[in-house]
Amino acid sequence: MTNQARIEVRHEGKAKIVELLDEEILDEITISEIAESLFSVLEEGSANQMVLSFARVKHLSSMALGTLIRLNKRAEEHGGKLKLCEIRKNLYEIFEITKLNKLFDIYESRDLAISSFG
Amino acid sequence: MSSETIRELTIDSDFQQAKEVEDLIVESAETFGYDEEVLFALRLSLEEGLTNAIRHGNGYDKAKRVRIRFLVSPEKIDVYIEDEGKGFDPEKVPDPTTQANLENPSGRGIMLMRAYMSEVIYNETGNELHLVKYSKAG
Protein backbone atom coordinates (compact mmCIF):
# COMPACT_ATOMS: atom_id res chain seq x y z
CA MET A 1 0.00 0.00 0.00
CA THR A 2 1.23 3.45 -0.81
CA ASN A 3 2.07 6.02 1.86
CA GLN A 4 1.74 8.97 -0.45
CA ALA A 5 -1.64 10.06 -1.78
CA ARG A 6 -1.49 9.73 -5.55
CA ILE A 7 -5.05 10.78 -6.36
CA GLU A 8 -7.87 12.93 -4.99
CA VAL A 9 -11.45 11.74 -5.46
CA ARG A 10 -14.70 13.70 -5.44
CA HIS A 11 -18.17 12.49 -6.30
CA GLU A 12 -20.43 14.53 -8.48
CA GLY A 13 -23.77 12.96 -9.33
CA LYS A 14 -23.03 9.54 -10.74
CA ALA A 15 -19.48 10.40 -11.67
CA LYS A 16 -16.25 9.96 -9.76
CA ILE A 17 -13.96 12.90 -10.38
CA VAL A 18 -10.38 11.85 -9.89
CA GLU A 19 -7.45 14.24 -9.91
CA LEU A 20 -3.97 12.85 -10.46
CA LEU A 21 -1.68 14.53 -7.94
CA ASP A 22 1.72 13.64 -9.41
CA GLU A 23 3.43 15.99 -11.85
CA GLU A 24 5.47 13.11 -13.24
CA ILE A 25 3.79 9.82 -14.09
CA LEU A 26 6.75 8.12 -15.68
CA ASP A 27 8.25 5.27 -13.72
CA GLU A 28 6.89 1.83 -13.01
CA ILE A 29 6.70 2.27 -9.22
CA THR A 30 4.68 5.51 -9.37
CA ILE A 31 2.46 4.09 -12.11
CA SER A 32 1.69 0.86 -10.27
CA GLU A 33 0.74 2.82 -7.13
CA ILE A 34 -1.52 5.13 -9.13
CA ALA A 35 -3.03 2.15 -10.95
CA GLU A 36 -3.82 0.42 -7.66
CA SER A 37 -5.64 3.53 -6.41
CA LEU A 38 -7.50 4.12 -9.67
CA PHE A 39 -8.71 0.54 -10.04
CA SER A 40 -9.94 0.45 -6.47
CA VAL A 41 -11.84 3.77 -6.88
CA LEU A 42 -13.35 2.55 -10.15
CA GLU A 43 -14.63 -0.62 -8.58
CA GLU A 44 -16.04 0.79 -5.34
CA GLY A 45 -19.77 1.49 -5.30
CA SER A 46 -22.07 1.08 -8.26
CA ALA A 47 -21.12 4.06 -10.41
CA ASN A 48 -18.39 3.29 -12.92
CA GLN A 49 -18.31 6.67 -14.58
CA MET A 50 -14.94 8.22 -14.00
CA VAL A 51 -13.48 11.58 -14.98
CA LEU A 52 -9.71 11.65 -14.75
CA SER A 53 -8.12 15.08 -14.52
CA PHE A 54 -4.54 15.63 -15.71
CA ALA A 55 -4.47 19.29 -14.61
CA ARG A 56 -1.34 18.78 -12.49
CA VAL A 57 0.42 16.27 -14.73
CA LYS A 58 3.46 17.47 -16.66
CA HIS A 59 5.08 14.20 -17.74
CA LEU A 60 3.58 10.91 -18.84
CA SER A 61 5.25 7.74 -20.18
CA SER A 62 4.13 4.91 -22.43
CA MET A 63 3.68 2.74 -19.36
CA ALA A 64 1.21 5.29 -17.95
CA LEU A 65 -0.69 5.12 -21.24
CA GLY A 66 -0.86 1.34 -20.82
CA THR A 67 -2.46 1.78 -17.40
CA LEU A 68 -5.06 4.16 -18.86
CA ILE A 69 -5.91 1.60 -21.53
CA ARG A 70 -6.42 -1.11 -18.90
CA LEU A 71 -8.50 1.26 -16.76
CA ASN A 72 -10.66 2.19 -19.74
CA LYS A 73 -11.26 -1.50 -20.53
CA ARG A 74 -12.15 -2.25 -16.92
CA ALA A 75 -14.62 0.67 -16.80
CA GLU A 76 -16.29 -0.61 -19.96
CA GLU A 77 -16.43 -4.17 -18.62
CA HIS A 78 -18.35 -2.77 -15.65
CA GLY A 79 -20.75 -0.91 -17.94
CA GLY A 80 -19.11 2.42 -17.16
CA LYS A 81 -17.02 4.95 -18.97
CA LEU A 82 -13.71 6.73 -18.47
CA LYS A 83 -13.31 10.35 -19.57
CA LEU A 84 -10.02 12.21 -19.57
CA CYS A 85 -9.73 15.98 -19.18
CA GLU A 86 -7.46 18.98 -18.59
CA ILE A 87 -4.54 17.49 -20.50
CA ARG A 88 -1.91 20.12 -21.26
CA LYS A 89 -0.90 20.67 -24.88
CA ASN A 90 2.44 18.84 -24.87
CA LEU A 91 0.90 15.82 -23.15
CA TYR A 92 -2.00 15.76 -25.57
CA GLU A 93 0.61 15.45 -28.31
CA ILE A 94 1.58 12.06 -26.82
CA PHE A 95 -2.03 10.93 -27.21
CA GLU A 96 -2.01 12.17 -30.81
CA ILE A 97 1.29 10.48 -31.73
CA THR A 98 0.07 7.16 -30.36
CA LYS A 99 -3.43 7.76 -31.80
CA LEU A 100 -4.87 7.15 -28.35
CA ASN A 101 -6.86 10.36 -28.74
CA LYS A 102 -9.11 8.14 -30.90
CA LEU A 103 -9.48 5.52 -28.19
CA PHE A 104 -10.17 7.81 -25.24
CA ASP A 105 -12.89 10.39 -24.70
CA ILE A 106 -10.87 13.52 -24.01
CA TYR A 107 -12.36 16.86 -22.89
CA GLU A 108 -10.77 20.23 -22.41
CA SER A 109 -12.42 20.94 -19.08
CA ARG A 110 -13.68 18.96 -16.15
CA ASP A 111 -17.18 20.43 -16.55
CA LEU A 112 -17.41 19.32 -20.17
CA ALA A 113 -16.26 15.83 -19.20
CA ILE A 114 -18.85 15.61 -16.41
CA SER A 115 -21.71 16.94 -18.53
CA SER A 116 -20.83 14.44 -21.30
CA PHE A 117 -22.26 11.69 -19.12
CA GLY A 118 -25.68 13.32 -19.61
CA MET B 1 29.21 25.26 -18.01
CA SER B 2 29.95 21.53 -18.08
CA SER B 3 32.84 20.31 -20.14
CA GLU B 4 32.05 18.52 -23.37
CA THR B 5 33.38 15.12 -22.46
CA ILE B 6 31.44 11.90 -22.57
CA ARG B 7 30.27 10.74 -19.15
CA GLU B 8 29.75 7.15 -18.25
CA LEU B 9 27.60 5.67 -15.52
CA THR B 10 26.60 2.12 -14.70
CA ILE B 11 23.49 1.41 -12.67
CA ASP B 12 21.68 -1.66 -11.36
CA SER B 13 18.38 -2.67 -12.96
CA ASP B 14 16.68 -0.29 -10.56
CA PHE B 15 14.12 2.41 -11.36
CA GLN B 16 15.29 4.77 -8.61
CA GLN B 17 18.83 4.73 -9.96
CA ALA B 18 17.45 5.19 -13.47
CA LYS B 19 15.56 8.27 -12.27
CA GLU B 20 18.78 9.75 -10.86
CA VAL B 21 20.50 9.26 -14.22
CA GLU B 22 17.56 10.88 -16.00
CA ASP B 23 17.71 13.89 -13.67
CA LEU B 24 21.45 14.22 -14.21
CA ILE B 25 21.21 14.21 -18.01
CA VAL B 26 18.21 16.56 -18.08
CA GLU B 27 19.97 18.97 -15.70
CA SER B 28 23.05 18.85 -17.89
CA ALA B 29 20.97 19.74 -20.95
CA GLU B 30 19.35 22.54 -18.95
CA THR B 31 22.79 23.94 -18.17
CA PHE B 32 23.45 24.22 -21.89
CA GLY B 33 20.27 26.26 -22.32
CA TYR B 34 18.12 23.67 -24.07
CA ASP B 35 14.49 24.80 -23.96
CA GLU B 36 11.48 23.23 -22.24
CA GLU B 37 10.40 21.44 -25.38
CA VAL B 38 13.75 19.64 -25.68
CA LEU B 39 13.88 18.86 -21.96
CA PHE B 40 10.38 17.37 -22.16
CA ALA B 41 11.40 15.20 -25.13
CA LEU B 42 14.63 14.19 -23.44
CA ARG B 43 13.02 13.20 -20.13
CA LEU B 44 10.35 11.15 -21.87
CA SER B 45 12.84 9.38 -24.14
CA LEU B 46 15.26 8.64 -21.30
CA GLU B 47 12.42 7.19 -19.27
CA GLU B 48 11.34 4.99 -22.18
CA GLY B 49 14.89 3.89 -23.02
CA LEU B 50 15.91 3.12 -19.45
CA THR B 51 12.62 1.36 -18.67
CA ASN B 52 13.04 -0.83 -21.75
CA ALA B 53 16.63 -1.65 -20.73
CA ILE B 54 15.60 -2.65 -17.19
CA ARG B 55 12.33 -4.32 -18.08
CA HIS B 56 12.78 -5.98 -21.46
CA GLY B 57 16.58 -6.04 -21.75
CA ASN B 58 17.63 -7.11 -18.27
CA GLY B 59 14.27 -8.64 -17.33
CA TYR B 60 14.35 -6.82 -13.94
CA ASP B 61 17.38 -8.94 -13.01
CA LYS B 62 19.16 -6.97 -10.27
CA ALA B 63 22.39 -8.77 -11.07
CA LYS B 64 22.35 -7.24 -14.55
CA ARG B 65 23.41 -3.68 -15.07
CA VAL B 66 22.66 -0.82 -17.42
CA ARG B 67 25.52 1.27 -18.81
CA ILE B 68 24.74 4.85 -19.77
CA ARG B 69 27.07 7.17 -21.67
CA PHE B 70 26.10 10.71 -22.49
CA LEU B 71 27.51 13.84 -24.03
CA VAL B 72 25.77 17.18 -23.99
CA SER B 73 27.08 20.01 -26.18
CA PRO B 74 25.50 23.20 -27.54
CA GLU B 75 24.86 21.39 -30.86
CA LYS B 76 23.36 18.12 -29.68
CA ILE B 77 22.66 15.64 -26.92
CA ASP B 78 23.89 12.06 -27.31
CA VAL B 79 22.82 9.28 -24.96
CA TYR B 80 23.78 5.61 -25.19
CA ILE B 81 21.85 3.07 -23.08
CA GLU B 82 23.23 -0.46 -23.03
CA ASP B 83 21.66 -3.40 -21.21
CA GLU B 84 22.92 -6.94 -20.61
CA GLY B 85 20.04 -8.64 -22.39
CA LYS B 86 20.00 -10.68 -25.57
CA GLY B 87 18.83 -7.72 -27.62
CA PHE B 88 15.89 -7.58 -30.02
CA ASP B 89 14.92 -6.46 -33.49
CA PRO B 90 13.17 -3.09 -33.17
CA GLU B 91 11.68 -3.55 -36.65
CA LYS B 92 9.68 -6.50 -35.33
CA VAL B 93 7.87 -4.43 -32.69
CA PRO B 94 4.29 -4.13 -34.01
CA ASP B 95 2.87 -0.73 -34.90
CA PRO B 96 0.87 0.27 -31.81
CA THR B 97 -1.33 2.70 -33.74
CA THR B 98 -3.10 0.12 -35.91
CA GLN B 99 -6.70 -0.70 -35.04
CA ALA B 100 -5.68 -4.20 -33.96
CA ASN B 101 -3.05 -2.93 -31.52
CA LEU B 102 -4.64 0.30 -30.31
CA GLU B 103 -5.91 -1.28 -27.10
CA ASN B 104 -2.72 -3.17 -26.41
CA PRO B 105 -1.36 -1.70 -23.14
CA SER B 106 2.29 -1.90 -24.21
CA GLY B 107 4.54 -1.29 -27.22
CA ARG B 108 4.56 2.53 -27.46
CA GLY B 109 7.96 3.36 -25.99
CA ILE B 110 10.04 3.10 -29.16
CA MET B 111 7.42 5.02 -31.10
CA LEU B 112 7.51 7.90 -28.62
CA MET B 113 11.32 8.03 -28.64
CA ARG B 114 11.26 8.16 -32.45
CA ALA B 115 8.70 10.96 -32.36
CA TYR B 116 10.57 13.07 -29.82
CA MET B 117 14.25 12.51 -30.59
CA SER B 118 16.16 13.50 -33.73
CA GLU B 119 17.63 10.01 -34.08
CA VAL B 120 16.94 6.65 -32.40
CA ILE B 121 19.51 4.04 -33.34
CA TYR B 122 19.89 0.48 -32.05
CA ASN B 123 23.08 -1.50 -32.43
CA GLU B 124 22.97 -4.70 -34.43
CA THR B 125 22.26 -6.87 -31.39
CA GLY B 126 19.55 -4.55 -30.16
CA ASN B 127 20.91 -4.23 -26.63
CA GLU B 128 22.26 -0.72 -27.05
CA LEU B 129 20.19 2.32 -27.84
CA HIS B 130 21.64 5.59 -29.11
CA LEU B 131 19.45 8.66 -28.70
CA VAL B 132 20.33 11.93 -30.41
CA LYS B 133 18.65 15.30 -30.06
CA TYR B 134 19.98 18.19 -32.11
CA SER B 135 19.61 21.75 -30.89
CA LYS B 136 17.25 23.75 -33.07
CA ALA B 137 20.03 26.14 -33.91
CA GLY B 138 22.38 23.29 -34.83
Side-chain angles (χ1 to χ4, degrees), chain A residues 22-38:
Chain A
D22 287 272
E23 285 191 358
E24 288 186 4
I25 307 180
L26 290 169
D27 67 280
E28 190 161 335
I29 300 162
T30 306
I31 292 165
S32 67
E33 287 179 0
I34 292 173
E36 196 185 328
S37 306
L38 288 176

Side-chain angles (χ1 to χ4, degrees), chain A residues 26 28 58 60 62 66 69, chain B residues 15 44 47-48 60 103 105:
Chain A
L26 290 169
E28 190 161 335
K58 292 182 179 166
L60 206 61
S62 68
I69 291 168
Chain B
F15 290 110
L44 176 62
E47 179 66 36
E48 300 296 343
Y60 300 103
E103 288 194 68

Side-chain angles (χ1 to χ4, degrees), chain B residues 25-114:
Chain B
I25 301 175
V26 171
E27 277 162 25
S28 176
E30 216 170 353
T31 312
F32 275 89
Y34 283 93
D35 64 20
E36 281 301 319
E37 204 180 308
V38 170
L39 300 179
F40 178 85
L42 182 62
R43 182 170 290 284
L44 176 62
S45 302
L46 287 171
E47 179 66 36
E48 300 296 343
L50 287 165
T51 297
N52 282 352
I54 293 172
R55 195 183 184 196
H56 302 299
N58 288 350
Y60 300 103
D61 184 346
K62 296 268 182 189
K64 290 184 177 168
R65 314 200 78 196
V66 180
R67 183 165 79 119
I68 301 107
R69 287 173 298 139
F70 70 97
L71 177 63
V72 182
S73 72
E75 293 78 33
K76 63 172 182 161
I77 302 160
D78 282 286
V79 184
Y80 295 84
I81 300 169
E82 184 186 1
D83 61 58
E84 294 182 8
K86 285 183 291 187
F88 76 112
D89 182 354
E91 298 312 315
K92 289 196 175 146
V93 176
D95 179 355
T97 63
T98 60
Q99 197 56 42
N101 295 328
L102 201 58
E103 288 194 68
N104 188 336
S106 58
R108 292 176 182 79
I110 298 173
M111 172 177 218
L112 288 176
M113 290 189 283
R114 285 185 174 143

Side-chain angles (χ1 to χ4, degrees), chain A residues 54-115:
Chain A
F54 288 75
R56 300 192 202 193
V57 183
K58 292 182 179 166
H59 295 275
L60 206 61
S61 66
S62 68
M63 196 178 275
L65 295 176
T67 296
L68 293 177
I69 291 168
R70 290 194 291 115
L71 190 71
N72 191 47
K73 265 192 197 160
R74 187 74 62 88
E76 286 175 353
E77 281 162 15
H78 288 258
K81 195 78 194 150
L82 174 69
K83 314 262 180 174
L84 313 182
C85 67
E86 300 177 303
I87 300 175
R88 59 189 71 204
K89 198 169 159 275
N90 55 357
L91 283 194
Y92 186 74
E93 208 175 88
I94 294 178
F95 286 86
E96 285 180 318
I97 292 165
T98 55
K99 297 205 167 84
L100 288 175
N101 56 334
K102 292 180 181 172
L103 181 72
F104 294 114
D105 282 344
I106 302 177
Y107 296 85
E108 242 175 74
S109 75
R110 203 175 291 210
D111 288 345
L112 283 173
I114 296 168
S115 61

